[in-house]
Amino acid sequence: MSIEFRPELKDLTPYSPGKPIEDVKRELGLTQVYKMASNENPLGCSPKVNAAILKVFDHLNLYPDGNATDLKVALAKKLGVKPSQVQPSSGSDEMVDQISKTFINPGDEVILADVTFPRYLTTTKMMGGNPVIVPLKNFAYDLEGMKNSITEKTKLIWLCNPNNPTGTMFSEKVLLDFLASVPKHIVVVYDEAYNEYVTNEEYPHDSISLLDKYPNILILRTFSKIYGLAALRVGYTIASEEILNNIDKIRPPFNVNAVAQAAAIAALEDDDFVKKSYEVNKEGKEYLYNCFDQMGIWYAPSEANHIFLDSGKECKEVFTELQKKGIIIRPMFKTYIRVSIGTMEENELFISSLKEIL
Ligand SMILES: *Cc1c(COP(=O)(O)O)cnc(C)c1O
């Protein structure tokens, strides 16, 4: 007899992250490497974070606040909700996992897009859910198609706005029409990891106000992107007390560490840093659009901090060639790549290297 693994694991593969800078330096003997692969903030994080986390170093022997009370209160104040409607997690990645564990039974139908954030599919399958995959339309979410995929067996729907990896968004009107047509017993997960970068006015800028009318929604946000705290793993979810109380039953104790909690609170207080990050991203996006236009390169219109483009060449080859020049991007499929918008210096280096390769 041999040990048996759960059958749900059979066609799962481990998550494949963006390549770390140190790996590339070591493998290729490079001294300067730029990572434009994982949608991290090229400006770092708020300088206020440093002082805040130094204080935590004085009591590393103590467990963190398991309820992250101060962070919840700070978030609630900022967002205009009750602390009981906010739940921090170890990255919003962890919340994706916890949502699947809370809601998905074997055989439940779960609607999601392709191409989108890969953890929706993995955690759905992990729980034995039946993924119902709705392809993107013109590289953007097809909410009409998702609505038409609802059946009696539908349990949950994953939405990402703006979408990763394409950067495309859907408008407030499209979202409202969609929500009005989804039966209220179906859970709608609305992942807004990049909402702070959106420049388009038609975006649902006030998603939190939807919670009153639609208690079946969970809104996911993160400190990993515009706040620049990806290393610390902290995100948060806004939802009804009933939903969060149930998620709390399966939440690992002390899931958000003390350094992450202190850093997130400090980061929330620095609006100037967020504003600067938004401006640098907007400027970088316009620069890259211009260059792509001149080079005759197609790209999806992005409302995030990354651009999905057609390099015209096999994506793995473009990835390898750029890496030799000290730039890490994300190969997607066919000739498509995703590049994170960097500082102007990084953007310029990316463009000059891309020109040499193509
Ligand atoms: C980056 C990202 C996240 C998760 O980030 P965490 O680092 O786990 O907070 C979640 N959703 C999308 C769409 C992302 O791109």
Side-chain angles (χ1 to χ4, degrees):
M1 293 282 274
S2 58
I3 56 169
E4 249 176 56
F5 295 94
R6 293 178 53 230
E8 286 81 5
L9 270 59
K10 202 166 281 164
D11 68 336
L12 295 184
T13 49
Y15 181 75
S16 121
K19 197 153 176 171
I21 288 176
E22 290 311 315
D23 285 12
V24 176
K25 282 187 179 170
R26 208 179 315 114
E27 286 168 24
L28 298 173
L30 296 169
T31 49
Q32 188 64 272
V33 173
Y34 300 93
K35 189 163 171 220
M36 303 173 82
S38 301
N39 307 339
E40 292 140 328
N41 190 328
L43 304 181
C45 68
S46 162
K48 293 186 196 293
V49 167
N50 264 25
I53 65 180
L54 281 178
K55 286 190 198 148
V56 183
F57 291 166
D58 293 336
H59 45 264
L60 290 179
N61 56 317
L62 301 179
Y63 280 103
D65 173 0
N67 290 315
T69 304
D70 291 348
L71 177 54
K72 271 189 204 172
V73 168
L75 282 165
K77 190 164 160 237
K78 181 117 187 164
L79 304 168
V81 296
K82 288 186 277 184
S84 54
Q85 290 175 288
V86 188
Q87 180 60 56
S89 53
S90 178
S92 46
D93 258 335
E94 186 194 46
M95 189 50 90
V96 169
D97 180 88
Q98 290 177 8
I99 289 168
S100 287
K101 286 175 178 163
T102 301
F103 292 107
I104 302 175
N105 290 305
D108 283 347
E109 287 182 5
V110 174
I111 299 175
L112 68 153
D114 181 40
V115 185
T116 190
F117 192 54
R119 297 297 298 168
Y120 309 150
L121 180 63
T122 313
T123 62
T124 295
K125 286 184 176 173
M126 166 186 96
M127 297 311 298
N130 270 346
V132 175
I133 293 173
V134 179
L136 298 182
K137 214 171 182 174
N138 292 325
F139 296 91
Y141 262 61
D142 173 14
L143 290 201
E144 191 65 25
M146 294 181 106
K147 185 176 89 184
N148 294 335
S149 303
I150 294 173
T151 72
E152 280 140 46
K153 291 189 183 151
T154 305
K155 181 63 185 277
L156 185 145
I157 302 172
W158 297 102
L159 301 179
C160 186
N161 195 24
N163 187 34
N164 176 8
T166 58
T168 50
M169 70 151 220
F170 46 87
S171 69
E172 176 162 35
K173 183 178 183 316
V174 168
L175 177 63
L176 291 177
D177 288 351
F178 177 78
L179 290 174
S181 69
V182 174
K184 290 279 173 51
H185 66 275
I186 296 176
V187 178
V188 177
V189 183
Y190 184 64
D191 186 344
E192 287 192 318
Y194 302 97
N195 85 95
E196 299 93 343
Y197 288 107
V198 174
T199 57
N200 192 320
E201 282 172 13
E202 288 174 23
Y203 182 75
H205 281 287
D206 188 18
S207 56
I208 290 173
S209 68
L210 297 172
L211 288 169
D212 288 335
K213 193 165 173 198
Y214 300 105
N216 52 329
I217 315 184
L218 297 95
I219 299 171
L220 268 55
R221 297 201 182 153
T222 181
F223 284 95
S224 298
K225 306 288 158 57
I226 207 160
Y227 289 100
L229 297 178
L232 295 178
R233 317 301 308 123
V234 52
Y236 61 97
T237 297
I238 312 130
S240 72
E241 283 178 31
E242 187 192 12
I243 287 179
L244 295 183
N245 287 341
N246 277 282
I247 290 177
D248 220 22
K249 297 177 188 174
I250 52 101
R251 182 173 65 86
F254 314 112
N255 55 328
V256 182
N257 74 64
V259 177
Q261 290 184 32
I265 292 168
L268 265 187
E269 285 164 5
D270 195 346
D271 290 332
D272 290 345
F273 177 79
V274 172
K275 191 153 180 283
K276 178 145 184 256
S277 302
Y278 168 89
E279 294 296 343
V280 166
N281 187 71
K282 185 163 176 270
E283 199 185 323
K285 183 167 82 173
E286 280 156 16
Y287 167 78
L288 290 170
Y289 278 3
N290 253 321
C291 296
F292 295 152
D293 288 341
Q294 279 169 19
M295 294 161 78
I297 285 178
W298 176 90
Y299 53 88
S302 175
E303 292 298 332
N305 64 349
H306 53 271
I307 306 178
F308 182 88
L309 59 122
D310 186 352
S311 71
K313 242 183 163 174
E314 178 56 41
C315 64
K316 295 259 164 51
E317 195 183 328
V318 176
F319 167 75
T320 309
E321 291 301 316
L322 279 173
Q323 197 170 266
K324 286 183 196 160
K325 296 176 184 296
I327 299 170
I328 316 173
I329 53 96
R330 201 67 171 256
M332 298 307 306
F333 52 90
K334 295 185 196 163
T335 52
Y336 298 105
I337 62 170
R338 187 191 72 191
V339 63
S340 306
I341 299 167
T343 58
M344 211 33 103
E345 183 196 356
E346 290 171 320
N347 296 331
E348 283 169 3
L349 187 69
F350 166 71
I351 289 293
S352 61
S353 307
L354 192 65
K355 277 184 179 159
E356 286 168 34
I357 290 165
L358 307 179

